[in-house]
Amino acid sequence: MSAAADRLNLTSGHLNAGRKRSSSSVSLKAVEKPFKVTVIGSGNWGTTIAKVVAENCKGYPEVFAPLVQMWVFEEDINGEKLTEIINTRHQNVKYLPGITLPDNLVANPDLIDSVKDVDIIVFNIPHQFLPRICSQLKGHVNPHVRAISCLKGFEVGAKGVQLLSSYITEELGIQCGALSGANIATEVAQEHWSETTVAYHIPKDFRGEGKDVDHKVLKALFHRPYFHVSVIEDVAGISICGALKNVVALGCGFVEGLGWGNNASAAIQRVGLGEIIRFGQMFFPESREETYYQESAGVADLITTCAGGRNVKVARLMATSGKDAWECEKELLNGQSAQGLITCKEVHEWLETCGSVEDFPLFEAVYQIVYNNYPMKNLPDMIEELDLHED
Ligand SMILES: NC(=O)c1ccc[n+]([C@@H]2O[C@H](COP(=O)([O-])OP(=O)(O)OC[C@H]3O[C@@H](n4cnc5c(N)ncnc54)[C@H](O)[C@@H]3O)[C@@H](O)[C@H]2O)c1
């Protein structure tokens, strides 16, 4: 073997040392009774993941019931119901226009009916709607149902800061993991190759291989030739990064809008990654540091989101127009939401409660700019000034 090939192997050995990830292929035996799957949510990402899931349910009839339901928050689109459009034209014309959906994906406007006799629920809605969805579902979901949350954000309340997967477990009494990664929905919907991370703990009441959801089943549910899935255990790590990268992306949008260029954006991402890891260490000590740099849900998602997701766009417009965040969100996103705007407030409230605001200068600066009109050109000083308190 050449010296160059040796060096490449060595490097790959270093990069993969200590990694415990699933292989890229899907290997599955038939299950006792195929799992019935429902996706709750039909926005840009909700519809994209429903497409992925429906393709796999059709492809593995020995593992999944082919028909997949997608709960849709009903809307009127030029006199037609969105569910009718999806079920007849197989397109979500409002949230994922131009993408043909599989015909085994059925839109259902009735939330309770959509989860009837279901085995796996995939939650994929903007997180501000989760409490209401959970309270409606309470009492209608069997405790053996398993769930995956594709939501980004935290639940902050009397119990402190909570992962959304833990909130779902607590509210509905079902085991819930998470899916997160460098995944701009439209690119995944167009079947451009990307990676993602699914995290799931096998629960104590696991009924056994072939009868219950395990890592292999989850791989089969989400992995596509254009959507490569790694399944791990660290639900906290992938959820923290998924939520907080949106706050960092707002910071990147501010410096972009100010015309400061790539160096400034990279600086914001560097500080942001440090704060994301610190947040995990302080509040979710079970999260694993390597998740942040080894998994798609870690630094890769941070880079993608900061390169041009919705949060960057909204923040950029705030900088160039002087308009407030809500006006910019309305103007740019056609009913979709920039989750960083809510997350930065939740994070601020939580950090204030714990007296830890000064440990997270970037998160605090983003909050002050969005909610209290602090001048964004002071961002470098705000970060540095607060940094001084650390010593
Ligand atoms: N879009 C992406 O590229 C992307 C990628 C990864 C993760 N995510 C995350 O996925 C989650 C879902 O986002 P999305 O992109 O599918 O949503 P979206 O912002 O595209 O759409 C909003 C959705 O909310 C629904 N809605 C509006 N009012 C509602 C109400 N009162 N109750 C319930 N639902 C209501 C709308 O019908 C629509 O389906 C978010 O947490 C987001 O951060 C998005």
Side-chain angles (χ1 to χ4, degrees), residues 40-49 71-75 82 92 94-96 123-130 132-133 136 150-153 164 179-188 242 245-246 301 309-311 333-340:
I40 291 184
S42 56
N44 194 227
W45 188 225
T47 309
T48 300
I49 279 293
W71 173 71
V72 174
F73 179 75
E74 190 67 285
E75 287 180 60
L82 182 56
N92 185 339
K94 174 149 185 196
Y95 295 103
L96 196 62
F123 286 89
N124 205 339
I125 46 173
H127 83 281
Q128 63 269 31
F129 303 129
L130 186 64
R132 219 179 43 144
I133 296 282
Q136 284 174 266
C150 305
L151 278 63
K152 301 281 152 63
L164 297 175
L179 179 151
S180 191
N183 304 139
I184 302 277
T186 313
E187 293 174 18
V188 178
K245 54 134 200 196
N246 287 330
D301 190 16
R310 296 175 196 174
N311 293 282
L333 298 185
N334 186 30
Q336 298 182 320
S337 85
Q339 298 277 280

Short mmCIF file of all heavy atoms in Angstrom, two decimals, residues 40-49 71-75 82 92 94-96 123-130 132-133 136 150-153 164 179-188 242 245-246 301 309-311 333-340, ligand 1:
data_model
loop_
_atom_site.label_atom_id
_atom_site.label_comp_id
_atom_site.label_asym_id
_atom_site.label_seq_id
_atom_site.Cartn_x
_atom_site.Cartn_y
_atom_site.Cartn_z
N ILE A 40 -46.88 13.30 12.55
CA ILE A 40 -47.71 14.44 13.01
C ILE A 40 -47.01 15.71 12.59
O ILE A 40 -45.94 16.04 13.10
CB ILE A 40 -47.92 14.36 14.54
CG1 ILE A 40 -48.81 13.17 14.85
CG2 ILE A 40 -48.52 15.66 15.05
CD1 ILE A 40 -49.18 13.02 16.30
N GLY A 41 -47.60 16.40 11.62
CA GLY A 41 -47.01 17.64 11.13
C GLY A 41 -46.82 17.57 9.62
O GLY A 41 -46.50 16.51 9.07
N SER A 42 -47.04 18.69 8.96
CA SER A 42 -46.99 18.69 7.50
C SER A 42 -46.45 20.01 6.96
O SER A 42 -46.86 20.47 5.91
CB SER A 42 -48.39 18.46 6.96
OG SER A 42 -49.25 19.46 7.50
N GLY A 43 -45.51 20.58 7.71
CA GLY A 43 -44.82 21.78 7.20
C GLY A 43 -43.74 21.35 6.22
O GLY A 43 -43.77 20.23 5.67
N ASN A 44 -42.75 22.21 6.04
CA ASN A 44 -41.67 21.95 5.10
C ASN A 44 -40.89 20.68 5.49
O ASN A 44 -40.71 19.76 4.68
CB ASN A 44 -40.75 23.19 5.16
CG ASN A 44 -39.76 23.28 4.05
OD1 ASN A 44 -38.60 23.53 4.29
ND2 ASN A 44 -40.19 23.08 2.82
N TRP A 45 -40.51 20.57 6.75
CA TRP A 45 -39.75 19.40 7.22
C TRP A 45 -40.70 18.23 7.51
O TRP A 45 -40.40 17.07 7.23
CB TRP A 45 -38.94 19.78 8.45
CG TRP A 45 -37.95 18.75 8.95
CD1 TRP A 45 -37.77 18.38 10.25
CD2 TRP A 45 -37.00 17.99 8.18
NE1 TRP A 45 -36.78 17.44 10.34
CE2 TRP A 45 -36.28 17.18 9.09
CE3 TRP A 45 -36.69 17.90 6.83
CZ2 TRP A 45 -35.27 16.30 8.70
CZ3 TRP A 45 -35.69 17.02 6.42
CH2 TRP A 45 -35.00 16.24 7.34
N GLY A 46 -41.87 18.54 8.04
CA GLY A 46 -42.85 17.49 8.34
C GLY A 46 -43.20 16.71 7.09
O GLY A 46 -43.19 15.46 7.06
N THR A 47 -43.49 17.40 6.00
CA THR A 47 -43.87 16.74 4.75
C THR A 47 -42.68 15.99 4.15
O THR A 47 -42.84 14.88 3.60
CB THR A 47 -44.41 17.77 3.73
OG1 THR A 47 -45.41 18.56 4.37
CG2 THR A 47 -45.01 17.10 2.51
N THR A 48 -41.50 16.56 4.28
CA THR A 48 -40.30 15.89 3.74
C THR A 48 -40.05 14.57 4.46
O THR A 48 -39.81 13.53 3.82
CB THR A 48 -39.07 16.82 3.89
OG1 THR A 48 -39.32 18.02 3.17
CG2 THR A 48 -37.81 16.18 3.37
N ILE A 49 -40.12 14.60 5.78
CA ILE A 49 -39.88 13.36 6.54
C ILE A 49 -41.02 12.36 6.28
O ILE A 49 -40.79 11.15 6.19
CB ILE A 49 -39.72 13.70 8.04
CG1 ILE A 49 -38.29 14.18 8.29
CG2 ILE A 49 -40.03 12.52 8.95
CD1 ILE A 49 -37.18 13.14 8.10
N TRP A 71 -50.70 13.71 9.80
CA TRP A 71 -51.67 14.67 10.32
C TRP A 71 -51.34 16.07 9.79
O TRP A 71 -50.20 16.53 9.86
CB TRP A 71 -51.68 14.71 11.85
CG TRP A 71 -52.58 15.82 12.33
CD1 TRP A 71 -53.94 15.86 12.27
CD2 TRP A 71 -52.16 17.10 12.85
NE1 TRP A 71 -54.40 17.07 12.72
CE2 TRP A 71 -53.35 17.84 13.09
CE3 TRP A 71 -50.93 17.68 13.13
CZ2 TRP A 71 -53.32 19.13 13.61
CZ3 TRP A 71 -50.91 18.98 13.65
CH2 TRP A 71 -52.09 19.68 13.88
N VAL A 72 -52.40 16.71 9.25
CA VAL A 72 -52.24 18.03 8.63
C VAL A 72 -53.08 19.04 9.38
O VAL A 72 -54.28 18.81 9.62
CB VAL A 72 -52.69 17.98 7.14
CG1 VAL A 72 -52.68 19.36 6.51
CG2 VAL A 72 -51.80 17.02 6.35
N PHE A 73 -52.46 20.14 9.80
CA PHE A 73 -53.22 21.26 10.35
C PHE A 73 -53.96 21.87 9.15
O PHE A 73 -53.36 22.47 8.27
CB PHE A 73 -52.25 22.26 10.98
CG PHE A 73 -52.90 23.47 11.57
CD1 PHE A 73 -53.59 23.40 12.77
CD2 PHE A 73 -52.82 24.70 10.92
CE1 PHE A 73 -54.19 24.53 13.32
CE2 PHE A 73 -53.42 25.83 11.45
CZ PHE A 73 -54.10 25.74 12.65
N GLU A 74 -55.27 21.65 9.13
CA GLU A 74 -56.05 21.96 7.92
C GLU A 74 -56.01 23.45 7.57
O GLU A 74 -56.11 24.31 8.45
CB GLU A 74 -57.50 21.51 8.12
CG GLU A 74 -58.34 21.56 6.86
CD GLU A 74 -57.90 20.53 5.79
OE1 GLU A 74 -56.87 20.76 5.14
OE2 GLU A 74 -58.61 19.52 5.61
N GLU A 75 -55.83 23.71 6.31
CA GLU A 75 -55.83 25.09 5.84
C GLU A 75 -56.58 25.16 4.53
O GLU A 75 -56.64 24.19 3.77
CB GLU A 75 -54.39 25.59 5.58
CG GLU A 75 -53.63 25.83 6.85
CD GLU A 75 -52.21 26.33 6.57
OE1 GLU A 75 -52.05 27.39 5.94
OE2 GLU A 75 -51.28 25.64 7.00
N LEU A 82 -56.28 21.81 2.17
CA LEU A 82 -54.92 21.33 1.93
C LEU A 82 -54.87 19.79 1.93
O LEU A 82 -54.17 19.19 1.10
CB LEU A 82 -53.96 21.90 3.00
CG LEU A 82 -52.48 21.55 2.87
CD1 LEU A 82 -51.91 21.94 1.51
CD2 LEU A 82 -51.65 22.21 3.98
N ASN A 92 -47.84 18.89 -1.40
CA ASN A 92 -48.18 19.87 -0.38
C ASN A 92 -47.84 21.24 -0.97
O ASN A 92 -46.70 21.71 -0.86
CB ASN A 92 -47.40 19.62 0.92
CG ASN A 92 -47.83 20.57 2.03
OD1 ASN A 92 -48.40 21.62 1.77
ND2 ASN A 92 -47.56 20.18 3.27
N LYS A 94 -48.55 24.20 -0.30
CA LYS A 94 -48.17 25.36 0.52
C LYS A 94 -46.77 25.20 1.11
O LYS A 94 -45.97 26.13 1.08
CB LYS A 94 -49.19 25.58 1.65
CG LYS A 94 -48.73 26.68 2.59
CD LYS A 94 -49.81 27.47 3.23
CE LYS A 94 -49.22 28.63 4.04
NZ LYS A 94 -50.14 29.20 4.97
N TYR A 95 -46.46 24.04 1.69
CA TYR A 95 -45.21 23.92 2.45
C TYR A 95 -44.09 23.17 1.72
O TYR A 95 -42.94 23.24 2.14
CB TYR A 95 -45.50 23.26 3.81
CG TYR A 95 -46.37 24.12 4.68
CD1 TYR A 95 -47.72 23.85 4.86
CD2 TYR A 95 -45.84 25.25 5.29
CE1 TYR A 95 -48.52 24.67 5.65
CE2 TYR A 95 -46.62 26.08 6.07
CZ TYR A 95 -47.97 25.79 6.25
OH TYR A 95 -48.76 26.61 7.02
N LEU A 96 -44.43 22.43 0.68
CA LEU A 96 -43.36 21.74 -0.08
C LEU A 96 -43.74 21.69 -1.56
O LEU A 96 -43.88 20.61 -2.15
CB LEU A 96 -43.18 20.32 0.50
CG LEU A 96 -41.89 19.58 0.11
CD1 LEU A 96 -40.65 20.31 0.62
CD2 LEU A 96 -41.89 18.15 0.65
N PHE A 123 -43.06 12.88 15.36
CA PHE A 123 -43.53 14.24 15.60
C PHE A 123 -42.69 15.21 14.79
O PHE A 123 -41.45 15.17 14.84
CB PHE A 123 -43.38 14.60 17.09
CG PHE A 123 -44.39 13.93 17.97
CD1 PHE A 123 -44.14 12.68 18.51
CD2 PHE A 123 -45.60 14.55 18.26
CE1 PHE A 123 -45.07 12.05 19.33
CE2 PHE A 123 -46.54 13.93 19.07
CZ PHE A 123 -46.28 12.67 19.60
N ASN A 124 -43.36 16.09 14.04
CA ASN A 124 -42.61 17.04 13.21
C ASN A 124 -43.41 18.33 12.99
O ASN A 124 -43.91 18.59 11.90
CB ASN A 124 -42.21 16.39 11.88
CG ASN A 124 -40.97 17.04 11.28
OD1 ASN A 124 -40.64 18.17 11.63
ND2 ASN A 124 -40.30 16.33 10.39
N ILE A 125 -43.52 19.10 14.06
CA ILE A 125 -44.25 20.37 14.01
C ILE A 125 -43.37 21.45 14.64
O ILE A 125 -42.47 21.12 15.41
CB ILE A 125 -45.57 20.28 14.82
CG1 ILE A 125 -45.28 19.61 16.18
CG2 ILE A 125 -46.67 19.58 14.07
CD1 ILE A 125 -46.42 19.61 17.14
N PRO A 126 -43.62 22.73 14.35
CA PRO A 126 -42.89 23.77 15.09
C PRO A 126 -43.19 23.60 16.59
O PRO A 126 -44.33 23.33 16.97
CB PRO A 126 -43.50 25.07 14.53
CG PRO A 126 -43.97 24.70 13.16
CD PRO A 126 -44.49 23.30 13.30
N HIS A 127 -42.17 23.76 17.44
CA HIS A 127 -42.32 23.29 18.82
C HIS A 127 -43.31 24.07 19.65
O HIS A 127 -43.80 23.57 20.65
CB HIS A 127 -40.95 23.13 19.49
CG HIS A 127 -40.36 24.38 20.05
ND1 HIS A 127 -39.74 25.32 19.29
CD2 HIS A 127 -40.26 24.81 21.33
CE1 HIS A 127 -39.30 26.29 20.08
NE2 HIS A 127 -39.60 26.00 21.31
N GLN A 128 -43.66 25.29 19.20
CA GLN A 128 -44.64 26.05 19.99
C GLN A 128 -46.02 25.39 20.00
O GLN A 128 -46.85 25.67 20.85
CB GLN A 128 -44.73 27.51 19.50
CG GLN A 128 -45.21 27.72 18.08
CD GLN A 128 -44.06 27.75 17.08
OE1 GLN A 128 -43.05 27.09 17.26
NE2 GLN A 128 -44.23 28.49 15.99
N PHE A 129 -46.26 24.48 19.03
CA PHE A 129 -47.57 23.81 18.98
C PHE A 129 -47.58 22.49 19.75
O PHE A 129 -48.63 21.85 19.87
CB PHE A 129 -47.97 23.55 17.52
CG PHE A 129 -48.01 24.80 16.67
CD1 PHE A 129 -47.33 24.86 15.46
CD2 PHE A 129 -48.71 25.92 17.08
CE1 PHE A 129 -47.33 26.01 14.68
CE2 PHE A 129 -48.73 27.08 16.31
CZ PHE A 129 -48.04 27.12 15.10
N LEU A 130 -46.45 22.07 20.25
CA LEU A 130 -46.37 20.74 20.87
C LEU A 130 -47.25 20.59 22.12
O LEU A 130 -47.95 19.57 22.24
CB LEU A 130 -44.90 20.39 21.19
CG LEU A 130 -44.68 18.97 21.70
CD1 LEU A 130 -45.05 17.92 20.66
CD2 LEU A 130 -43.23 18.76 22.15
N ARG A 132 -50.08 21.84 22.96
CA ARG A 132 -51.49 21.66 22.62
C ARG A 132 -51.73 20.31 21.94
O ARG A 132 -52.71 19.62 22.20
CB ARG A 132 -51.98 22.80 21.73
CG ARG A 132 -53.41 23.22 22.12
CD ARG A 132 -53.87 24.31 21.30
NE ARG A 132 -53.45 24.02 19.91
CZ ARG A 132 -54.16 24.32 18.85
NH1 ARG A 132 -55.29 24.91 18.98
NH2 ARG A 132 -53.74 24.05 17.64
N ILE A 133 -50.82 19.91 21.07
CA ILE A 133 -50.93 18.62 20.37
C ILE A 133 -50.91 17.50 21.41
O ILE A 133 -51.73 16.56 21.37
CB ILE A 133 -49.78 18.45 19.36
CG1 ILE A 133 -49.83 19.49 18.26
CG2 ILE A 133 -49.73 17.02 18.80
CD1 ILE A 133 -50.83 19.26 17.18
N GLN A 136 -54.09 17.24 23.40
CA GLN A 136 -55.17 16.63 22.61
C GLN A 136 -54.97 15.11 22.50
O GLN A 136 -55.93 14.35 22.47
CB GLN A 136 -55.21 17.23 21.21
CG GLN A 136 -55.84 18.62 21.17
CD GLN A 136 -55.71 19.21 19.76
OE1 GLN A 136 -54.78 19.94 19.45
NE2 GLN A 136 -56.65 18.88 18.91
N CYS A 150 -38.78 15.09 15.59
CA CYS A 150 -37.90 15.81 14.65
C CYS A 150 -37.94 17.30 14.97
O CYS A 150 -37.49 18.13 14.16
CB CYS A 150 -38.37 15.59 13.21
SG CYS A 150 -38.50 13.87 12.74
N LEU A 151 -38.53 17.66 16.11
CA LEU A 151 -38.69 19.07 16.45
C LEU A 151 -37.37 19.67 16.92
O LEU A 151 -36.52 18.95 17.45
CB LEU A 151 -39.68 19.21 17.62
CG LEU A 151 -41.17 19.19 17.32
CD1 LEU A 151 -41.60 17.87 16.74
CD2 LEU A 151 -41.94 19.47 18.59
N LYS A 152 -37.28 20.99 16.77
CA LYS A 152 -36.10 21.69 17.26
C LYS A 152 -36.54 22.65 18.34
O LYS A 152 -37.44 23.46 18.11
CB LYS A 152 -35.42 22.47 16.13
CG LYS A 152 -35.00 21.59 14.96
CD LYS A 152 -33.72 20.85 15.24
CE LYS A 152 -33.58 19.54 14.53
NZ LYS A 152 -33.55 19.59 13.11
N GLY A 153 -35.92 22.59 19.51
CA GLY A 153 -36.27 23.52 20.58
C GLY A 153 -36.27 22.83 21.93
O GLY A 153 -35.90 21.66 22.04
N LEU A 164 -37.50 18.11 24.13
CA LEU A 164 -38.87 17.90 23.65
C LEU A 164 -39.23 16.42 23.64
O LEU A 164 -40.39 16.04 23.87
CB LEU A 164 -39.03 18.52 22.26
CG LEU A 164 -38.83 20.05 22.25
CD1 LEU A 164 -38.88 20.60 20.84
CD2 LEU A 164 -39.87 20.75 23.13
N LEU A 179 -34.63 12.82 15.97
CA LEU A 179 -33.93 12.82 14.68
C LEU A 179 -33.47 14.24 14.41
O LEU A 179 -34.25 15.18 14.53
CB LEU A 179 -34.87 12.34 13.56
CG LEU A 179 -34.29 12.31 12.12
CD1 LEU A 179 -34.98 11.23 11.29
CD2 LEU A 179 -34.41 13.66 11.40
N SER A 180 -32.19 14.40 14.09
CA SER A 180 -31.68 15.73 13.81
C SER A 180 -30.44 15.61 12.93
O SER A 180 -29.71 14.63 13.02
CB SER A 180 -31.32 16.40 15.15
OG SER A 180 -31.06 17.76 14.96
N GLY A 181 -30.20 16.59 12.10
CA GLY A 181 -29.02 16.50 11.24
C GLY A 181 -28.89 17.72 10.36
O GLY A 181 -29.71 18.65 10.43
N ALA A 182 -27.85 17.73 9.54
CA ALA A 182 -27.64 18.82 8.59
C ALA A 182 -28.63 18.62 7.46
O ALA A 182 -28.31 18.03 6.43
CB ALA A 182 -26.20 18.79 8.08
N ASN A 183 -29.85 19.07 7.67
CA ASN A 183 -30.96 18.72 6.77
C ASN A 183 -31.82 19.93 6.45
O ASN A 183 -32.79 20.21 7.15
CB ASN A 183 -31.87 17.65 7.43
CG ASN A 183 -31.14 16.39 7.85
OD1 ASN A 183 -31.40 15.85 8.92
ND2 ASN A 183 -30.22 15.91 7.03
N ILE A 184 -31.47 20.64 5.41
CA ILE A 184 -32.40 21.66 4.90
C ILE A 184 -33.49 20.87 4.17
O ILE A 184 -33.19 20.09 3.25
CB ILE A 184 -31.68 22.62 3.92
CG1 ILE A 184 -30.49 23.31 4.58
CG2 ILE A 184 -32.65 23.61 3.30
CD1 ILE A 184 -30.73 24.53 5.41
N ALA A 185 -34.73 21.07 4.60
CA ALA A 185 -35.82 20.20 4.14
C ALA A 185 -35.90 20.08 2.62
O ALA A 185 -36.00 18.98 2.07
CB ALA A 185 -37.15 20.70 4.71
N THR A 186 -35.85 21.21 1.94
CA THR A 186 -36.05 21.17 0.49
C THR A 186 -34.99 20.33 -0.21
O THR A 186 -35.29 19.61 -1.16
CB THR A 186 -36.05 22.61 -0.07
OG1 THR A 186 -36.90 23.38 0.78
CG2 THR A 186 -36.57 22.69 -1.47
N GLU A 187 -33.76 20.39 0.28
CA GLU A 187 -32.69 19.59 -0.34
C GLU A 187 -32.95 18.09 -0.14
O GLU A 187 -32.72 17.29 -1.05
CB GLU A 187 -31.32 19.97 0.25
CG GLU A 187 -30.90 21.39 -0.11
CD GLU A 187 -29.63 21.84 0.58
OE1 GLU A 187 -28.86 20.99 1.08
OE2 GLU A 187 -29.41 23.06 0.64
N VAL A 188 -33.43 17.73 1.04
CA VAL A 188 -33.76 16.31 1.30
C VAL A 188 -34.95 15.91 0.41
O VAL A 188 -34.95 14.84 -0.21
CB VAL A 188 -34.08 16.08 2.79
CG1 VAL A 188 -34.46 14.62 3.05
CG2 VAL A 188 -32.90 16.48 3.67
N GLY A 242 -29.54 20.62 17.93
CA GLY A 242 -30.65 20.94 17.03
C GLY A 242 -31.39 22.19 17.45
O GLY A 242 -31.83 23.00 16.62
N LYS A 245 -28.53 25.57 17.60
CA LYS A 245 -27.91 26.05 16.35
C LYS A 245 -28.77 27.15 15.72
O LYS A 245 -28.24 28.03 15.04
CB LYS A 245 -27.73 24.89 15.36
CG LYS A 245 -29.04 24.14 15.12
CD LYS A 245 -29.36 23.84 13.71
CE LYS A 245 -30.83 23.56 13.56
NZ LYS A 245 -31.24 22.92 12.34
N ASN A 246 -30.07 27.12 15.96
CA ASN A 246 -30.93 28.16 15.39
C ASN A 246 -30.66 29.54 16.02
O ASN A 246 -30.81 30.57 15.37
CB ASN A 246 -32.41 27.80 15.59
CG ASN A 246 -32.84 26.66 14.67
OD1 ASN A 246 -32.29 26.52 13.58
ND2 ASN A 246 -33.80 25.87 15.10
N ASP A 301 -24.70 20.18 11.23
CA ASP A 301 -25.98 20.88 11.19
C ASP A 301 -25.79 22.37 11.49
O ASP A 301 -26.44 23.23 10.88
CB ASP A 301 -26.93 20.24 12.22
CG ASP A 301 -28.36 20.74 12.08
OD1 ASP A 301 -28.68 21.33 11.04
OD2 ASP A 301 -29.15 20.55 13.02
N GLY A 309 -30.11 28.96 6.42
CA GLY A 309 -31.46 28.53 6.80
C GLY A 309 -32.37 29.73 7.05
O GLY A 309 -31.97 30.89 6.83
N ARG A 310 -33.56 29.42 7.52
CA ARG A 310 -34.55 30.49 7.74
C ARG A 310 -34.11 31.53 8.77
O ARG A 310 -34.41 32.71 8.65
CB ARG A 310 -35.83 29.87 8.32
CG ARG A 310 -36.52 28.93 7.45
CD ARG A 310 -37.66 28.37 8.24
NE ARG A 310 -38.15 27.19 7.58
CZ ARG A 310 -39.08 26.40 8.10
NH1 ARG A 310 -39.59 26.68 9.28
NH2 ARG A 310 -39.50 25.36 7.43
N ASN A 311 -33.42 31.05 9.83
CA ASN A 311 -33.03 31.98 10.89
C ASN A 311 -32.03 33.00 10.36
O ASN A 311 -32.11 34.18 10.71
CB ASN A 311 -32.46 31.19 12.07
CG ASN A 311 -33.53 30.34 12.73
OD1 ASN A 311 -34.34 30.84 13.49
ND2 ASN A 311 -33.55 29.06 12.39
N LEU A 333 -41.33 34.20 5.34
CA LEU A 333 -41.52 32.76 5.53
C LEU A 333 -42.92 32.21 5.22
O LEU A 333 -43.16 31.02 5.45
CB LEU A 333 -41.07 32.35 6.95
CG LEU A 333 -39.59 32.60 7.28
CD1 LEU A 333 -39.25 32.06 8.66
CD2 LEU A 333 -38.66 31.99 6.25
N ASN A 334 -43.82 32.99 4.77
CA ASN A 334 -45.11 32.49 4.29
C ASN A 334 -45.76 31.50 5.29
O ASN A 334 -46.15 30.40 4.93
CB ASN A 334 -44.89 31.79 2.93
CG ASN A 334 -46.20 31.37 2.28
OD1 ASN A 334 -47.23 32.02 2.49
ND2 ASN A 334 -46.18 30.26 1.53
N GLY A 335 -45.83 31.92 6.56
CA GLY A 335 -46.51 31.08 7.57
C GLY A 335 -45.59 30.09 8.24
O GLY A 335 -45.99 29.41 9.19
N GLN A 336 -44.34 29.96 7.77
CA GLN A 336 -43.41 29.07 8.44
C GLN A 336 -42.75 29.84 9.59
O GLN A 336 -42.89 31.05 9.68
CB GLN A 336 -42.35 28.59 7.45
CG GLN A 336 -42.97 27.81 6.31
CD GLN A 336 -41.93 27.29 5.34
OE1 GLN A 336 -40.97 27.97 5.02
NE2 GLN A 336 -42.14 26.08 4.88
N SER A 337 -42.03 29.09 10.44
CA SER A 337 -41.48 29.82 11.58
C SER A 337 -39.96 29.66 11.70
O SER A 337 -39.41 28.63 11.37
CB SER A 337 -42.22 29.42 12.86
OG SER A 337 -41.68 28.28 13.41
N ALA A 338 -39.32 30.74 12.16
CA ALA A 338 -37.87 30.72 12.43
C ALA A 338 -37.74 30.38 13.92
O ALA A 338 -37.94 31.23 14.79
CB ALA A 338 -37.26 32.08 12.11
N GLN A 339 -37.41 29.11 14.19
CA GLN A 339 -37.47 28.61 15.56
C GLN A 339 -36.49 29.28 16.52
O GLN A 339 -36.71 29.32 17.72
CB GLN A 339 -37.23 27.10 15.56
CG GLN A 339 -38.29 26.34 14.78
CD GLN A 339 -39.54 26.07 15.59
OE1 GLN A 339 -39.59 25.17 16.40
NE2 GLN A 339 -40.56 26.88 15.39
N GLY A 340 -35.39 29.84 15.97
CA GLY A 340 -34.40 30.48 16.84
C GLY A 340 -34.98 31.66 17.62
O GLY A 340 -34.53 31.96 18.72
N1 LIG B 1 -37.61 23.20 7.36
C1 LIG B 1 -36.44 22.67 7.60
O1 LIG B 1 -35.53 22.73 6.76
C2 LIG B 1 -36.22 21.94 8.87
C3 LIG B 1 -35.17 21.05 8.90
C4 LIG B 1 -34.93 20.35 10.06
C5 LIG B 1 -35.75 20.57 11.16
N2 LIG B 1 -36.80 21.45 11.10
C6 LIG B 1 -37.65 21.57 12.30
O2 LIG B 1 -38.81 20.79 12.05
C7 LIG B 1 -39.91 21.27 12.83
C8 LIG B 1 -41.10 21.42 11.94
O3 LIG B 1 -40.87 22.45 11.01
P1 LIG B 1 -41.48 22.51 9.55
O4 LIG B 1 -40.39 23.04 8.67
O5 LIG B 1 -42.09 21.22 9.15
O6 LIG B 1 -42.68 23.56 9.75
P2 LIG B 1 -43.02 24.88 8.90
O7 LIG B 1 -42.47 26.06 9.64
O8 LIG B 1 -42.64 24.67 7.47
O9 LIG B 1 -44.59 24.94 8.87
C9 LIG B 1 -45.41 25.30 9.90
C10 LIG B 1 -46.34 24.16 10.18
O10 LIG B 1 -47.10 24.47 11.35
C11 LIG B 1 -48.47 24.18 11.07
N3 LIG B 1 -49.32 24.97 11.95
C12 LIG B 1 -49.67 26.28 11.82
N4 LIG B 1 -50.48 26.63 12.84
C13 LIG B 1 -50.61 25.54 13.63
C14 LIG B 1 -51.30 25.25 14.84
N5 LIG B 1 -52.01 26.19 15.46
N6 LIG B 1 -51.21 24.01 15.36
C15 LIG B 1 -50.47 23.06 14.77
N7 LIG B 1 -49.79 23.24 13.62
C16 LIG B 1 -49.87 24.48 13.06
C17 LIG B 1 -48.63 24.48 9.62
O11 LIG B 1 -49.77 23.83 9.12
C18 LIG B 1 -47.34 23.89 9.07
O12 LIG B 1 -47.50 22.52 8.86
C19 LIG B 1 -39.42 22.57 13.47
O13 LIG B 1 -39.06 22.30 14.82
C20 LIG B 1 -38.20 22.94 12.66
O14 LIG B 1 -37.25 23.67 13.40
C21 LIG B 1 -37.04 22.13 9.97
#
